[in-house]
Amino acid sequence: MTVIQHLGRLFVRRFLFPAISFLGASMAASVCVSIVFFTIALWGGEEPISFAGLFSMLIIAITLGFYIAAFAAFPALLLIWGMRLAKIRRGWTDALAGALTGAAIMHFIAHGLSAITQPPSPIIGLFAVAGLIGGAVYWNFTGRPRPPYAFLHD
């Protein structure tokens, strides 16, 4: 194997594949948030759901996924690097990092610079659950769940 081939495989394994997995996890978190908000919106509505309405929901969920990926990339990267430096076993900690990232980002978006002094609102729980699901999806997309599982041998 040449040096170029080795660098190419290293780039794909250490950068490209985790980046694609992170985008997939952001899309999963976006679908969770979108399902809750669209269910609330449709529950109160009186019109039946049309194909155009479902298509617009899909477009909104995809757009929200890109926004989630953009806002969560740096904080999630810092948390994941911190976990690796502390040598914390992966698995549920990826899901926990997603939950912390989702809750913190929504708290700072909702309150701005005064977020440090404000108590958390109930909507932050929704984003924490979406981040938890996103972290679990990231862990599964990157192929981490191979035996021994982190949550079975703690």
Side-chain angles (χ1 to χ4, degrees):
M1 179 184 304
T2 66
V3 173
I4 300 296
Q5 289 174 335
H6 181 67
L7 288 176
R9 287 181 189 225
L10 188 65
F11 174 77
V12 168
R13 182 183 163 124
R14 293 290 180 187
F15 178 73
L16 189 61
F17 195 62
I20 292 171
S21 298
F22 182 75
L23 186 60
S26 298
M27 291 297 165
S30 134
V31 167
C32 293
V33 170
S34 297
I35 285 174
V36 170
F37 284 132
F38 292 141
T39 302
I40 291 170
L42 292 176
W43 194 5
E46 298 174 3
E47 296 182 21
I49 302 171
S50 66
F51 177 74
L54 289 175
F55 184 72
S56 66
M57 287 181 196
L58 177 67
I59 296 300
I60 291 171
I62 290 172
T63 305
L64 181 63
F66 284 114
Y67 276 106
I68 288 173
F71 283 126
F74 188 67
L77 188 65
L78 288 178
L79 278 172
I80 297 299
W81 280 351
M83 288 184 335
R84 286 188 179 178
L85 286 175
K87 297 189 188 300
I88 298 174
R89 296 186 75 174
R90 305 291 297 269
W92 288 107
T93 52
D94 284 342
L96 181 63
L100 289 173
T101 302
I105 287 174
M106 185 57 207
H107 188 65
F108 278 101
I109 286 174
H111 297 293
L113 292 176
S114 66
I116 297 170
T117 60
Q118 297 293 324
S121 59
I123 195 73
I124 292 172
L126 169 66
F127 284 87
V129 170
L132 183 84
I133 292 170
V137 167
Y138 173 78
W139 183 54
N140 282 308
F141 276 5
T142 54
R144 303 287 193 241
R146 21 182 203 265
Y149 297 109
F151 54 89
L152 291 179
H153 296 286
D154 287 337

